Every structure is written in structure tokens, then in C-alpha cells.
Amino acid sequence: MTLLGRFGVYSVIGTISLLPLLVLPAMIGTLVDETLLGETRAGWSASLNFFGGAVAAGVMALRMHRLDLRRVAYLAFALAAVGDIASAFSANHPMLFLAIRLVAGIGAGAAYTVVVAAFARLPDVDRGYGLFVTLQFIVSGVGLYLLPVYSATLGVEGMFLSIAALELGSFALLRHLPGQALPDDATGGRKTELHVLLSWATLLGAMGFAIYEAANTAQFTYLERLGVSLALSDQQVGTALLIASLAGIPGAFAIVLLGGRYGRMAPLSLGVGLSLCGLLVLMAGGSFGNYLLGASLIGFSWAFCLPYIQGLLASLDPRGSAVAAGSASSTIGGSIGPGVAALALAGGSYSRVLGLSMCLLLLALLSFWLASRKINSDQQCE
């Protein structure tokens, strides 16, 4: 299979593993409207789902040089599918539902970690991640348009069973994933997983990734609810979320075209700046136009930044331990984001959530800047 073909297959597999995240605002809206969970418990169900993925990614990062990625992927998608099927019939039993979302997250998180580690073993990794993120935003846009419009017809059962069907369907593609890790002499590998994970560059990059994802999932979780609070119609909210996700497509595809031509920190700074502008527009509120513009800026920024962040971590270890650690840390951040947003929202307005996201984005940018300086310093020493 060609390099572009592998990029495409890995992107499809990884996108399936991320479906609960890609349609998160609409999923939260469906859970709030169709079950007894309420906004706070719906937010925590997302947090637990992401936390399960973080646990799986963290364990895998410590063993990445010795894992058979293909075998792990089969087990991971099977677990995720079982969890989603169980979720379809337990949403009105809050404690059971929360436990099941945790289990489903372990499976989906392990599957996602397999994919990002598989990308790290390929050349021209920035472009590969760019294609991966491009597909994520295409699927997210379609899902965020269709789910609010047809949520009453699908219900919670139809939503989760559809995700489970796609997870089981991914089995047809898993044979294209790599098996055992590359041997040490093929990668120049003198560093163990622990050595890679405890380097300052990895720690700073992974911490920045966690903060960045917390910032984004915090606002993303309640983005659909923000539209409802502005008295927008279901059709307007669905249309805005679709366009916002589609705005991410050129952002991610730009990396496919540009690669590392301008380094990583300049594009990351630009991307974070655009996201901050989008959050300010959303805080201004008051109209469908502001809602659409703010959400679109955030969508473009998120897609534009992700490939560079993942490429930074993948460059530290071609066998994938650093990018697996980034997957764990970003998933932890993603799991914390909805829960912290729920706490910020309690007794207040959605502006609190947006302000929280702005502060976290600035902290993430600082962490990436420090990580980049450390990487450059280490390369000069070598």
C-alpha cells in the first residue's frame, strides 16, 4: 500500500474511534433532551468516557515499543462497541450509564492510541496527521448537522447503536495496521519508553496538549446549548455547527500542503489567536451571525493546530511512545474539560465557560513554546 493509502486508512480507523468526541455537543443535547440525566450528568458522562481513554493511552505509552498494534486495535474496538451498545439501553439509569461510558472510553481510547502511534511510524508525519484531522472535521460537520435534526427520530438508542455499528465495521480495515514495533536497530532506538516519556520536551508537550484539549472540550461540550440559550432554532444550531466543523477542513488540509515549511510555533500561535477571537465573538452573542462566526473560527483553529501538536510529539520517538503519552494527556485534558465546564456553568452563564477556555488556551501556548525551545536546545547539543 502507498504512503498516501496508509494515511487514508489510518485516518478512517482513527476517526471512527473518535466519534463520541466529534459529535459531542449534539450527543450532549440528545442526552439532555431524551433522558433524565440533565446537563451536569451528561457533561460528566463525556468526562468519564474521555478519562477511560486516557487510562488506556497511558498504559500503552509505557509498553509502546513492545505492542502489536493490530491485535490491540481488534480488542479495543470490540470493547468500545460493547460499551456503546450497552449505553444505548442504560441512559435512564445514571450511575450505570456513567460506568458504561467509562468502559467504552477505554476501548475507544486504546483504538485511537493505536492509530496515532501507527502514524508515528510513517515518514512525513505532519501531513499524515493533517489528513487525519481533515477527515475528523468532515465527519464531525456531517454528524453535528444530522444529529440535532434527527435526534428525536434516532433517540439515544439509535445514536449509540449507530456508533457501535461503525466500530464493528472498522474490523475490515484493521489488517492494514502495523503489528509489532520496529526493532531498535531500525530506528536508532537507544531510549526506552520511560526515557522518552520523562524528557522535558515530552513532558512539556504532553502537558500543553492536555491543557489545549481541556480548553477546547470545555467550550465544545456546551456549544450546542449556547445556541439554544440564544433562542436559535434547531435548524440554525445544526447549520452553524456544520459550517463550524467544515471550517476545520481547510485548516487541517493546509498542513497536508504546507508540512513543516514554517516550523510549528508560528502556526500554533496563529491558530490559538484565531480561537481566542472566536471565543470573544461567542461571548458577544446576540445573533445567529455571531454564533456562526465564533464557532467557525474555533473550528478552523482546532483543526489547524492539532497536526502540528501531534507532529511535535511524534518526532520525539518514531515508535510512538511520546505521541501515545500525548494521546493520554490530551484525553485527560479532554475528560477534565466538560466536567470543569459543568462546574463553571453551575449557577452562572455560558460566558464563564468561554472565559475559562480562553485562559486555558493561553497556558497551552506557553507550554508548547517551552517544549519547542527544549527540543531545539537538545538538537543543538546532539
Side-chain angles (χ1 to χ4, degrees):
M1 182 179 289
T2 65
L3 179 62
L4 182 60
R6 290 196 179 277
F7 283 164
V9 170
Y10 293 2
S11 296
V12 171
I13 297 170
T15 299
I16 293 173
S17 74
L18 288 174
L19 283 174
L21 171 63
L22 299 182
V23 298
L24 182 60
M27 178 180 286
I28 293 295
T30 301
L31 289 172
V32 171
D33 292 338
E34 304 291 332
T35 72
L36 303 176
L37 291 172
E39 288 188 346
T40 299
R41 280 177 175 167
W44 279 110
S45 73
S47 287
L48 287 170
N49 185 253
F50 299 151
F51 180 74
V55 171
V59 172
M60 290 173 66
L62 294 170
R63 302 284 298 175
M64 187 56 68
H65 294 181
R66 287 153 283 183
L67 287 178
D68 185 316
L69 297 185
R70 191 181 307 119
R71 182 176 300 175
V72 173
Y74 279 111
L75 295 173
F77 273 114
L79 180 60
V82 169
D84 285 322
I85 291 170
S87 297
F89 303 103
S90 61
N92 284 316
H93 304 279
M95 298 310 296
L96 175 61
F97 180 75
L98 293 177
I100 291 172
R101 294 315 297 157
L102 174 65
V103 173
I106 292 173
Y112 172 73
T113 303
V114 164
V115 171
V116 294
F119 270 112
R121 299 182 185 184
L122 298 176
D124 212 5
V125 67
D126 288 310
R127 286 188 167 91
Y129 286 131
L131 183 60
F132 182 21
V133 176
T134 299
L135 182 59
Q136 290 174 39
F137 275 80
I138 293 173
V139 172
S140 180
V142 173
L144 290 175
Y145 176 76
L146 293 177
L147 192 51
V149 174
Y150 295 104
S151 60
T153 302
L154 280 174
V156 172
E157 293 85 357
M159 177 177 68
F160 282 117
L161 290 177
S162 297
I163 293 173
L166 289 170
E167 289 164 342
L168 293 174
S170 71
F171 277 44
L173 300 175
L174 299 186
R175 60 188 176 87
H176 296 292
L177 290 169
Q180 296 288 345
L182 297 173
D184 287 353
D185 57 3
T187 62
R190 298 184 299 273
K191 297 180 179 180
T192 65
E193 294 99 331
L194 195 60
H195 189 170
V196 173
L197 296 177
L198 293 180
S199 69
W200 276 110
T202 301
L203 291 173
L204 287 166
M207 181 176 68
F209 205 176
I211 298 170
Y212 182 78
E213 285 299 281
N216 280 301
T217 59
Q219 54 83 15
F220 194 54
T221 300
Y222 291 107
L223 190 55
E224 187 263 354
R225 293 286 94 184
L226 174 62
V228 173
S229 74
L230 295 173
L232 303 179
S233 68
D234 289 345
Q235 193 73 31
Q236 286 178 312
V237 171
T239 300
L241 293 178
L242 169 64
I243 294 173
S245 291
L246 294 178
I249 297 172
F253 196 73
I255 287 79
V256 179
L257 300 176
L258 296 176
R261 186 180 305 173
Y262 298 103
R264 291 191 173 100
M265 282 314 302
L268 279 174
S269 298
L270 173 62
V272 170
L274 289 173
S275 189
L276 292 172
C277 290
L279 290 166
L280 287 171
V281 172
L282 287 176
M283 290 179 76
S287 69
F288 171 70
N290 280 353
Y291 183 71
L292 174 61
L293 176 60
S296 297
L297 286 171
I298 292 170
F300 182 94
S301 167
W302 202 347
F304 186 77
C305 291
L306 279 176
Y308 285 116
I309 298 169
Q310 292 173 319
L312 182 151
L313 291 166
S315 69
L316 296 172
D317 179 19
R319 289 179 293 181
S321 62
V323 75
S327 174
S329 67
S330 67
T331 309
I332 290 172
S335 71
I336 291 173
V340 173
L343 293 176
L345 178 61
S349 69
Y350 291 106
S351 293
R352 288 187 176 185
V353 176
L354 302 178
L356 171 68
S357 293
M358 293 176 68
C359 294
L360 292 175
L361 283 172
L362 291 172
L363 287 174
L365 183 61
L366 175 62
S367 185
F368 293 137
W369 182 77
L370 293 173
S372 179
R373 283 178 59 89
K374 182 60 179 174
I375 291 171
N376 291 337
S377 175
D378 291 344
Q379 289 176 343
Q380 290 175 0
C381 291
E382 294 175 358

